[in-house]
Structures are given as structure tokens and as C-alpha cells.
């Protein structure tokens, strides 16, 4: 058998390429067989299986694999700012490229320091996450005003996925640690 398409990109939908069946070089009419597909939603190897009908004059089954590739997704930190001595705001990010309610797992942090300048917010995590190939970017964290404390802010986001249907759940925690007399804060989302 041959497939009209042998490579797809994950979309959250079923992929069912058209099948052509030939015996000794001659095309077999589709009325003589049924086609079933397996593992044809999530990224990985999917299979098309042809089963000949009992009255077709042919017997047995034959299969052909095709590929569902990971979809590109991006995590980009949102720009943040504060005055020196204030609590760090929660670090957040914009995620693009995901399908439906799918979630990605990632952590966010910024460089330590309270000087009046611009620091870097970094998003990080596994680049391969189930149905997604993830790119992590950086963003600016700007502090204005006088010097105060030295702090590091880290946000972690974790997710669990059900690979059979692409659904995921996610939770995140944001914690600010301070090395001076200024109290630290924590928040969760």
C-alpha cells in the first residue's frame, strides 16, 4: 500500500492519509477493503492498516506507517519593571503555538540584583514536550530608583498531560527571595 501523505504536524486532530492499494501493479478498488488508523493524533509514529473484505478475492491485512511531527511552540517572558526596594512582580510569559487547552511546562527567573538597570528574564524548560518542540526566549526586567536589596525571583510551572487526547493541566508557583531587611513575598497562580 502507499499513502498520499507520510508526514504531518501535530494539530490536535486525527490524521488519515488517503490509501492506495495495488496487487501485482494493479490498483485494488477501495470497495474491496477497509482502512483503520491508529496513534494518529499525537506526535510520533501512526499506522494505516488495510483489511481486505471476505468477498473481495483478497485475504489478509497490510499496514503502512506515517509520521506526526511535533508542533513548534514558543514561551516568551513578558516585560516587567519595578522601583528598587519594591517586591518583584510575578514573572509571566506568553505562550504561542499550542493547540486548544494544551499547556507547556516551564520555569521563569531573572538575574539577581537591585541596581537601577535592566536585567534579563529567562524562560526555561524541556525543549521537547510531548506534541511540542519548544523554544524559550528572554525578556527585560527593569528597575528604577535607588539601590536596595539583592533578590532572585523564580517562577516554576509544571504540567501533566494525557497523551491520548492532548489535554493537560498546569500549576505554577512564584517565589521572591530577598537578601536584605526588605521582606520577601510569595504568590501562587
Amino acid at each position: 500500500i502507499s499513502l498520499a501523505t507520510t508526514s504531518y504536524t501535530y494539530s490536535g486532530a486525527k490524521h488519515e492519509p488517503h490509501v492506495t492499494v495495488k496487487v501485482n501493479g494493479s490498483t485494488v478498488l477501495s470497495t474491496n477493503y477497509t482502512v483503520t488508523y491508529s496513534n494518529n493524533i499525537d506526535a510520533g509514529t501512526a499506522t494505516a492498516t488495510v483489511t481486505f473484505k471476505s468477498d473481495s478475492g483478497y485475504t489478509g491485512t497490510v499496514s503502512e506507517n506515517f509520521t506526526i511531527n511535533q508542533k513548534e511552540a514558543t514561551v516568551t517572558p513578558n516585560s516587567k519593571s519595578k522601583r528598587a526596594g519594591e517586591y518583584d512582580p510575578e514573572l509571566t510569559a506568553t505562550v504561542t503555538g499550542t493547540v486548544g487547552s494544551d499547556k507547556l511546562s516551564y520555569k521563569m527567573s531573572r538575574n539577581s540584583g537591585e541596581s537601577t538597570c535592566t536585567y534579563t528574564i529567562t524562560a526555561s524548560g524541556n525543549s521537547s514536550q510531548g506534541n511540542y518542540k519548544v523554544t524559550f526566549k528572554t525578556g527585560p526586567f527593569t528597575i528604577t530608583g535607588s539601590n536596595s536589596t539583592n533578590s532572585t525571583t523564580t517562577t516554576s510551572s509544571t504540567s501533566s498531560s494525557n497523551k491520548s487526547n492532548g489535554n493537560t493541566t498546569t500549576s505554577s508557583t512564584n517565589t521572591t527571595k530577598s537578601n536584605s531587611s526588605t521582606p520577601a513575598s510569595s504568590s501562587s497562580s
Side-chain angles (χ1 to χ4, degrees):
I1 70 173
S2 61
L3 304 178
T5 304
T6 58
S7 181
Y8 294 89
T9 297
Y10 169 75
S11 66
K14 294 179 180 179
H15 294 290
E16 299 181 347
H18 176 74
V19 173
T20 299
V21 179
K22 290 186 177 182
V23 176
N24 297 325
S26 299
T27 300
V28 178
L29 295 176
S30 60
T31 54
N32 290 314
Y33 58 83
T34 60
V35 183
T36 57
Y37 299 89
S38 58
N39 303 317
N40 60 329
I41 296 177
D42 294 315
T45 300
T47 304
T49 301
V50 169
T51 302
F52 290 105
K53 295 180 179 180
S54 59
D55 59 352
S56 66
Y58 305 97
T59 59
T61 62
V62 61
S63 299
E64 187 72 19
N65 292 335
F66 58 98
T67 301
I68 300 176
N69 298 300
Q70 290 176 313
K71 190 177 188 298
E72 298 277 351
T74 303
V75 180
T76 305
N78 297 318
S79 300
K80 296 292 180 178
S81 64
K82 71 167 190 173
R83 291 185 62 85
E86 294 179 343
Y87 296 130
D88 276 15
E90 180 182 2
L91 301 181
T92 59
T94 298
V95 177
T96 57
T98 54
V99 175
S101 60
D102 288 359
K103 303 292 182 183
L104 301 177
S105 178
Y106 56 89
K107 294 181 179 180
M108 296 183 62
S109 62
R110 77 166 178 90
N111 294 344
S112 300
E114 287 294 323
S115 298
T116 55
C117 63
T118 298
Y119 297 87
T120 299
I121 304 172
T122 302
S124 61
N126 292 329
S127 60
S128 178
Q129 297 190 31
N131 293 314
Y132 297 95
K133 180 179 180 181
V134 188
T135 298
F136 297 96
K137 296 189 175 183
T138 60
F141 187 99
T142 304
I143 299 178
T144 60
S146 60
N147 295 344
S148 177
T149 64
N150 290 319
S151 65
T152 301
T153 298
T154 301
T155 298
S156 63
S157 176
T158 59
S159 70
S160 60
S161 63
N162 182 338
K163 195 172 188 299
S164 64
N165 57 24
N167 292 334
T168 63
T169 57
T170 184
S171 63
S172 62
T173 304
N174 184 66
T175 305
T176 302
K177 297 179 180 178
S178 176
N179 298 323
S180 74
S181 58
T182 302
S185 69
S186 65
S187 63
S188 62
S189 62

